[in-house]
Amino acid sequence: MQKTSGKLFVISGPSGVGKGTIIHKLLEKNPNIKLSISATTRAPRPHETDGVDYYFISRDNFTKLIKEDKLAEWAEFSGNYYGTYYDTINNTLQNGYDLILEIEVKGAMQIKNKIPSAVLIFILPPSFDELQKRLTGRNTEKTEEIKQRLAIFEDEYAKSFEFNYKITNDNLDEATEELQKIISREKQN
Ligand code: ADP
Ligand code: 5GP
């Protein structure tokens, strides 16, 4: 019997909007959905683990991945490189799982061009002030890095119109529920 192939979902939005938090809640209730583990040249945060949160690699190794055409998309974000392995997409979908790519907007646009069946979802903050509060409150970046991440919000927002869906993450449970509904609806198509 042939297995049905899974569906690809791309989730983007400004840093600190709550993408990771929403996706974690969603995954707890959906064992059939996997989250792609990206490669990055950024240093791990204190509670991050190599091979779980990211594959933390050197710039040289990242350049090698690009040259060997191992990445379905990649982009520079705030001074570091981030990318999605082709193998992760192909293997996960072929095994019948749905897959979420939690990636920034330039990468999302690359996926949109390469894989038109992918469903793109943009997460918005209720306000810029609240975004600033969340990113600062997370306490994972220094002030300069926080400024850099917030400075690109307007550009990121401009790209949100290229997405299939937008969700405002005001109340966490409601935003997660909205994402769940979008995924269920798209799975029926
Ligand atoms: P991202 O993955 O988009 O960078 P995170 O998931 O790390 O963002 O969330 C950033 C911070 O905002 C975290 O401290 C998280 O607990 C908090 N947060 C997420 N969603 C909400 C929400 N709806 N209301 C208040 N705080 C939130
Ligand atoms: P962070 O450093 O906060 O983990 O991630 C910074 C940004 O990089 C976030 O917007 C996150 O979604 C994005 N990102 C994570 N992995 C990838 C990836 O594989 N490709 C791209 N293009 N962006 C990614």
Side-chain angles (χ1 to χ4, degrees), residues 11-16 19 36-40 42 45 48 54 73-78 80-85 102-108 110 138 140-141 145 149 156:
I11 298 183
S12 293
S15 185
K19 300 180 294 296
S36 166
I37 303 171
S38 299
T40 184
R42 147 164 104 57
R45 293 174 187 145
E48 287 180 330
Y54 281 105
E73 63 74 34
W74 66 272
E76 187 173 5
F77 180 93
S78 204
N80 284 299
Y81 294 108
Y82 297 79
T84 304
Y85 292 97
E102 194 247 274
I103 62 179
E104 54 69 68
V105 289
K106 289 177 282 186
Q110 294 169 42
R138 190 172 69 185
T140 49
E141 277 81 25
E145 169 81 29
R149 287 178 176 231
E156 291 177 316

Side-chain angles (χ1 to χ4, degrees), residues 57-121:
I57 64 174
S58 66
R59 276 181 176 250
D60 280 354
N61 282 342
F62 199 96
T63 310
K64 222 160 135 193
L65 290 177
I66 297 170
K67 279 193 186 138
E68 291 171 357
D69 201 23
K70 299 263 198 256
L71 301 178
E73 63 74 34
W74 66 272
E76 187 173 5
F77 180 93
S78 204
N80 284 299
Y81 294 108
Y82 297 79
T84 304
Y85 292 97
Y86 268 121
D87 278 358
T88 303
I89 298 182
N90 294 336
N91 296 341
T92 312
L93 298 184
Q94 271 165 23
N95 284 325
Y97 292 102
D98 300 316
L99 181 66
I100 291 179
L101 309 184
E102 194 247 274
I103 62 179
E104 54 69 68
V105 289
K106 289 177 282 186
M109 292 304 106
Q110 294 169 42
I111 295 291
K112 183 181 159 102
N113 288 330
K114 278 189 188 169
I115 312 175
S117 60
V119 177
L120 273 67
I121 302 154

